[in-house]
Amino acid sequence: MNIPENLLYTKDHEWARVEGKTAYVGITDYAQGSLGDITFVDLPKVGKALKQADPAAVVESVKAASDVYSPFSGTVLSVNPELASHPELVNKSCYEKGFFFVIQLDNEQEKAKLMDNNAYQVYLEGLSK
């Protein structure tokens, strides 16, 4: 299981790469593996205001459709335009080419509510018991 050190994680299996006051957001290797082949991604509109844990996007796979929640409160600055025509990028490169959107953070203190890679690993181990 790939769990990069430089990211933050939610219990709903989203990741966030914080760069200053913005964050790239996607779903984790665990999430994409659990969903199976991704067939469609519905991304948020640019400019949309989100609260932490609000549903922000929908990902559909051969197994199910799932909401993707925002790890932070803020405004959507951009989305990954490649996912509209190539949703399989989420399976192939969930932490790089398969990111969902970029959000401008309203409250950097919300980082404290997310897990680092070690805490997320422990969380995943707890799910498998």
Side-chain angles (χ1 to χ4, degrees):
M1 183 83 44
N2 183 11
I3 306 174
E5 291 181 13
N6 61 333
L7 306 178
L8 297 171
Y9 301 90
T10 71
K11 289 184 176 181
D12 294 313
H13 310 291
E14 291 87 15
W15 59 262
R17 184 177 67 235
V18 177
E19 297 180 356
K21 295 190 178 212
T22 64
Y24 286 77
V25 176
I27 63 171
T28 65
D29 191 31
Y30 174 86
Q32 69 81 21
S34 298
L35 287 167
D37 292 338
I38 305 296
T39 58
F40 179 76
V41 177
D42 185 24
L43 298 169
K45 297 212 179 300
V46 173
K48 184 173 183 174
L50 296 168
K51 296 291 184 193
Q52 188 174 41
D54 275 357
V58 176
V59 60
E60 294 182 17
S61 71
V62 293
K63 292 183 180 178
S66 299
D67 286 329
V68 175
Y69 300 96
S70 180
F72 293 105
S73 300
T75 303
V76 177
L77 294 177
S78 65
V79 298
N80 184 350
E82 296 295 317
L83 292 185
S85 55
H86 300 287
E88 71 277 6
L89 287 174
V90 178
N91 294 115
K92 293 178 179 174
S93 177
C94 66
Y95 296 115
E96 296 295 332
K97 295 179 181 175
F99 77 92
F100 281 54
F101 60 92
V102 179
I103 189 167
Q104 181 168 357
L105 310 184
D106 281 350
N107 181 357
E108 293 185 55
Q109 304 302 317
E110 291 176 342
K111 290 191 286 190
K113 296 179 181 177
L114 303 178
M115 295 177 277
D116 66 13
N117 67 316
N118 290 326
Y120 185 62
Q121 176 69 44
V122 170
Y123 176 71
L124 291 179
E125 290 168 3
L127 294 178
S128 64
K129 292 182 180 176

